Amino acid sequence: MNNEPLLNIGIKAARKAGNFLIRSIDKLKNIKVLEKSTNDFVSIIDQETEKIIKDVVLNAYPEHVFLGEEFGISTNNSKSEFKWIVDPIDGTTNFLHGISHFCISIAVTKNDKTVASIIYNPYDNLLFTSYSGKGSYCNDRRIRVSTRQNLMNCLIGTGLPFRENDKIDAYLETTKFLMLNTSGLRRSGSAALDLADVARGIIDGAWYYGLKIWDVAAGFHLIQEAGGIISNFEGDNNFDQECNIVVGNPYIHAKLLSCINSQKIQYQ
């Protein structure tokens, strides 16, 4: 599968950026950290990582559009049908605290439809890739979503809505309900890696409130190519700048969505 040029450039960018992140771990105590918004942190490492990825991508494809979390969109006055959507460090808080669960997330779209994705955890050397019609892989091994059908036997990923504290009470009601109706919940601190874990069947589903497109674009593609289902809380695929998401294998997605909606909680 890795003979696809777009995918190869994405992998090259992710590995180069990952090497930089690993070298930066010993410097964390000296890094200045800014708070972009409530509980949403950024450091010079995030910015430098995005620059590394951007340089690799635009050196190969100078006409492509580049959308990064830290510096926004760069078009070079281009009207290219291709766009790269990048989160340089998904799990920034983990990274800044020296926790190894973080990753680089890269999605490539053509006419706004994702065609390739890369999620790379450099600390654990886990490289997730997908290409439209070719399936999803972890370190070149084909992966698929789980086959569990009983929600009570499932492990579900989630993350608290850290950007908007007024949503916490509603979210905790859903959390309580699912704690009583699943085998357990996990909050890892990296939505992209949670989505990758759904794609490889490590967890059976996940739900999140208020994510951004760069948090989910690559993970969505991994899950779809691995045989899973994605939607918003209404059950369709219309995602705005703020993404409320439900993902899972074909059996669990519908049940997870039903559980969330059965609480009749207003997230908007």
Side-chain angles (χ1 to χ4, degrees):
M1 184 191 65
N2 290 352
N3 62 352
E4 301 292 345
L6 287 170
L7 199 59
N8 285 337
I9 292 299
I11 292 170
K12 179 181 178 181
R15 288 199 181 279
K16 186 173 182 179
N19 289 339
F20 170 73
L21 289 178
I22 295 301
R23 293 196 305 270
S24 300
I25 288 176
D26 293 335
K27 306 174 185 177
L28 290 177
K29 292 182 180 179
N30 301 318
I31 293 173
K32 183 178 180 180
V33 178
L34 302 176
E35 191 170 17
K36 295 188 291 185
S37 60
T38 303
N39 296 326
D40 192 5
F41 301 100
V42 64
S43 72
I44 189 65
I45 301 300
D46 298 77
Q47 296 169 344
E48 288 298 322
T49 304
E50 185 166 305
K51 288 179 181 177
I52 289 169
I53 298 168
K54 183 177 179 180
D55 286 346
V56 172
V57 169
L58 295 186
N59 183 61
Y61 299 109
E63 74 282 5
H64 285 190
V65 176
F66 188 95
L67 173 62
E69 177 181 8
E70 306 307 333
F71 296 110
I73 196 161
S74 175
T75 65
N76 293 327
N77 296 316
S78 170
K79 296 182 180 179
S80 174
E81 59 188 351
F82 289 96
K83 179 166 64 179
W84 296 69
I85 303 173
V86 173
D87 188 345
I89 310 178
D90 187 80
T92 294
T93 300
N94 283 352
F95 174 76
L96 293 174
H97 283 265
I99 298 171
S100 64
H101 202 73
F102 60 88
C103 68
I104 295 153
S105 178
I106 302 172
V108 189
T109 69
K110 182 178 181 182
N111 295 322
D112 295 324
K113 183 177 180 180
T114 305
V115 295
S117 69
I118 301 97
I119 292 177
Y120 181 45
N121 177 345
Y123 195 94
D124 295 326
N125 193 30
L126 290 174
L127 177 68
F128 298 91
T129 57
S130 60
Y131 197 87
S132 290
K134 301 291 181 67
S136 295
Y137 293 77
C138 177
N139 293 347
D140 293 324
R141 180 179 62 83
R142 184 74 179 265
I143 56 175
R144 298 286 295 178
V145 296
S146 74
T147 58
R148 293 184 184 89
Q149 300 183 34
N150 186 341
L151 190 61
M152 283 298 298
N153 296 330
C154 289
L155 192 62
I156 303 298
T158 190
L160 292 175
F162 63 91
R163 292 188 181 100
E164 298 182 63
N165 291 334
D166 62 329
K167 301 297 191 299
I168 289 179
D169 287 343
Y171 212 83
L172 288 177
E173 287 298 317
T174 306
T175 300
K176 178 181 178 180
F177 185 84
L178 286 169
M179 285 177 66
L180 298 173
N181 289 278
T182 66
S183 68
L185 303 180
R186 294 294 181 268
R187 180 176 185 262
S188 74
S190 171
L193 285 175
D194 281 350
L195 298 183
D197 281 346
V198 172
R200 64 172 172 159
I202 298 298
I203 58 178
D204 305 286
W207 98 98
Y208 276 87
Y209 170 83
L211 297 181
K212 303 293 187 181
I213 189 60
W214 43 76
D215 297 317
V216 299
F220 278 0
H221 196 252
L222 278 173
I223 290 172
Q224 289 175 317
E225 287 292 316
I229 307 294
I230 65 170
S231 78
N232 57 25
F233 287 180
E234 287 70 47
D236 59 47
N237 295 125
N238 295 322
F239 298 102
D240 298 321
Q241 291 184 346
E242 295 284 339
C243 302
N244 302 336
I245 69 166
V246 182
V247 301
N249 73 38
Y251 307 104
I252 294 307
H253 172 269
K255 295 178 181 180
L256 184 56
L257 183 63
S258 177
C259 283
I260 291 170
N261 289 329
S262 72
Q263 298 308 287
K264 302 186 185 304
I265 294 169
Q266 297 299 313
Y267 287 91
Q268 302 300 330

